[in-house]
Amino acid sequence: MAWTTLRQDPERSRRRLQLLAELAGARAVRQRSRPHRQRTERLRQLIATRRRVAG
């Protein structure tokens, strides 16, 4: 079955664009928070290592 180009409803197009914009925003927030999460995990590893060495 071949794909055909259908005229989309303008309201549906608007909602789709809005959803894509929200997803892009959420992805950007997640990517900004990752370095903090990685630093936190690295600090936890260092603390655990020091406790093993000292204990």
Side-chain angles (χ1 to χ4, degrees), residues 24-51:
R27 188 178 303 121
V29 168
R30 234 184 0 253
Q31 288 174 348
R32 280 194 302 263
S33 68
R34 280 188 188 147
H36 180 7
R37 194 176 315 153
Q38 289 172 348
R39 272 194 307 261
T40 303
E41 183 59 32
R42 181 73 180 133
L43 280 172
R44 286 184 184 149
Q45 290 174 356
L46 289 171
I47 291 168
T49 302
R50 285 190 66 178
R51 286 182 179 161

Side-chain angles (χ1 to χ4, degrees), residues 7-21:
R7 278 192 69 166
Q8 289 188 351
D9 177 23
E11 178 64 20
R12 183 176 173 186
S13 290
R14 186 191 64 74
R15 284 192 315 243
R16 182 176 180 273
L17 289 174
Q18 182 180 6
L19 178 63
L20 290 173

